[in-house]
Each structure stands twice: as structure tokens, then as C-alpha cells.
Amino acid sequence: MRYRPLLAGAAALALTLSLVACGDDDGDDTADTSDTTEAEASTDATTADTEATEDTTADTEATEDTEATDDTEAGEPAGDLSTLLVTPEAVGEGFTEQPYETSTEGGPCGAMIDEEYPFDAIVGTVLVEEELELALQQEIRTYADAATAEETFNYAQEALSCGAETTTEGLVLGEVTDVTDSIGADAFAVEVTAEADGTEGALVVVLVGPALSVFQFQGPADVDDGPDPVAIVAENTTALQAELG
């Protein structure tokens, strides 16, 4: 089966749900003890030990606070939700994992879906087959409850229905198509053509309990080889349903 019939062109990796950027706070707060003199250390060992214990406790608490803040700001969920992302082995030979980043750009029709319906947590992955210039991005977004996820799912269909009236010249969206029967869960797909760089593909959004699984594939318009996107999404959706209901 052709790779491109069900998911996105190169210019379309950032075309769908407007993504909230992950936090990149890499600063290290290390306590400075260089001003402690030998005299102070020798004459007041008990005080130094006490202060060291307090510093250790403070550092531990600070680290825990920082990690909690980072998780909240980056939208990273607790637990092992990332283990539910599609893997290179599940996609096909030659695919390797590449760095994943969220994006603050709006959707191709101008809607800021993540601002309208903020997610509670997000994880993602990017897989690339360099020889054929194929790529896949998957994101899993979780929400407060299944009802909120469904509202977001419905809104996203409207927000991706602008056809050729996109915010990027030469980027054309096909009709929003119900692919529920093919995927095994409530799902829609939007074919994508990026005329500027000669790529084609599509986007698939799947509703699973309190989560949305968003797949985007990309590839040259003249490439016929590659894995079956429908099979990839359907298999991953089965795993999500087993975990998330």
C-alpha cells in the first residue's frame, strides 16, 4: 500500500493542533559552600553538619518542586503514558526515533485548538525513514475526562475544515473523513498536500477515553513504498484502548 494515503506532508508536521511548547528549564541550583573556612569547619562541626543536612533536605525539596513544575509546564504526564507511543519496530524497517518537540504554531486553518481546549498532559514521538524520506509523528494528549476529550475531538474536525484556505501558501487540506471503521475507535482523517515541497500525506485524530491520539505522516508525493498507515494507527489504538478504556 502507498505510504501517503492517510497522513501528512513535510510542511504539515506542525499543521494540526496548535501545540504548547515544552518547558526547557535546564538551570541547576547548586548550593555555594566555597565561603566556608577551615576555622569555621573545625570550630563549629556540629553546626556545619546541621547546615549540611538542612541544605541536603532543601536541595531535595527544590528538586522535587522543580520536577513537579517542569512536568506541569511541559505537559508531561505522570506514569508511563509514553510507553503507549508507536515504536520504530511497529512502523517498519529503517525507521528510527528522532527528537520530538511541541510547537506553539497555530493550526493550518488558523485555529488555536490547544488554547480552546488545553490538555492536561502530552507525550510525543517522531520516527523517520531517511532513505525514502518518510516520517511519522504521534502525540497523545490527555484531558480532564472523556467528555472534554470528545469536545476537543469534535472541535478539531471543524477547525481543520478550511480546504485550500490555509495559513500556509500551497498547503491544501482534503475533506475531514470519518475513518472510525478502519481504526476501531472514533477517528477522522484529513489528507494534506504541500505543493511547495512536493509532499503529501494526511492527519489522523483518534478519540480514546480521556485522550486524543494524533498521527501525522509525511512523504514525497512520488513515493509508493512504505508501511500501511491504517494498520499502524489501528494497532496502536488497540493498545491505547486497553490502557485508557
Side-chain angles (χ1 to χ4, degrees):
M1 170 179 270
R2 299 168 71 89
Y3 180 84
R4 64 191 189 195
L6 191 58
L7 296 174
L13 273 182
L15 71 81
T16 57
L17 307 180
S18 165
L19 306 179
V20 175
C22 286
D24 287 325
D25 292 335
D26 294 326
D28 293 327
D29 296 330
T30 304
D32 185 1
T33 60
S34 60
D35 292 335
T36 303
T37 64
E38 291 183 6
E40 291 172 333
S42 60
T43 59
D44 201 359
T46 302
T47 301
D49 289 342
T50 300
E51 291 176 348
T53 300
E54 292 173 348
D55 286 344
T56 300
T57 302
D59 286 344
T60 301
E61 294 175 348
T63 300
E64 292 173 349
D65 289 342
T66 300
E67 291 175 349
T69 301
D70 286 346
D71 283 346
T72 300
E73 293 179 351
E76 294 179 358
D80 58 355
L81 186 61
S82 62
T83 64
L84 298 176
L85 292 165
V86 68
T87 64
E89 294 76 17
V91 174
E93 184 178 354
F95 279 83
T96 59
E97 189 170 2
Q98 302 294 322
Y100 160 79
E101 295 181 1
T102 58
S103 168
T104 57
E105 295 182 21
C109 299
M112 303 293 286
I113 300 175
D114 287 339
E115 290 187 4
E116 294 291 332
Y117 292 93
F119 50 77
D120 286 350
I122 183 172
V123 293
T125 188
V126 174
L127 306 179
V128 173
E129 207 286 353
E130 295 183 357
E131 183 177 352
L132 297 176
E133 298 181 351
L134 304 177
L136 173 159
Q137 175 176 287
Q138 182 195 10
E139 294 167 323
I140 300 174
R141 289 170 167 77
T142 59
Y143 297 87
D145 48 46
T148 303
E150 184 175 6
E151 289 181 18
T152 310
F153 177 82
N154 293 334
Y155 179 77
Q157 296 182 66
E158 298 178 7
L160 293 168
S161 299
C162 63
E165 301 299 320
T166 65
T167 58
T168 301
E169 184 176 356
L171 185 66
V172 178
L173 304 187
E175 293 184 3
V176 175
T177 304
D178 188 330
V179 292
T180 298
D181 290 343
S182 298
I183 303 303
D186 289 337
F188 69 85
V190 181
E191 292 190 357
V192 180
T193 302
E195 297 175 353
D197 54 15
T199 58
E200 291 184 352
L203 157 80
V204 173
V205 180
V206 185
L207 174 64
V208 182
L212 294 184
S213 176
V214 182
F215 278 89
Q216 298 177 74
F217 290 72
Q218 68 177 37
D222 58 354
V223 171
D224 294 338
D225 297 328
D228 179 359
V230 177
I232 293 169
V233 178
E235 181 178 357
N236 183 258
T237 297
T238 298
L240 288 174
Q241 289 172 321
E243 184 70 22
L244 302 176

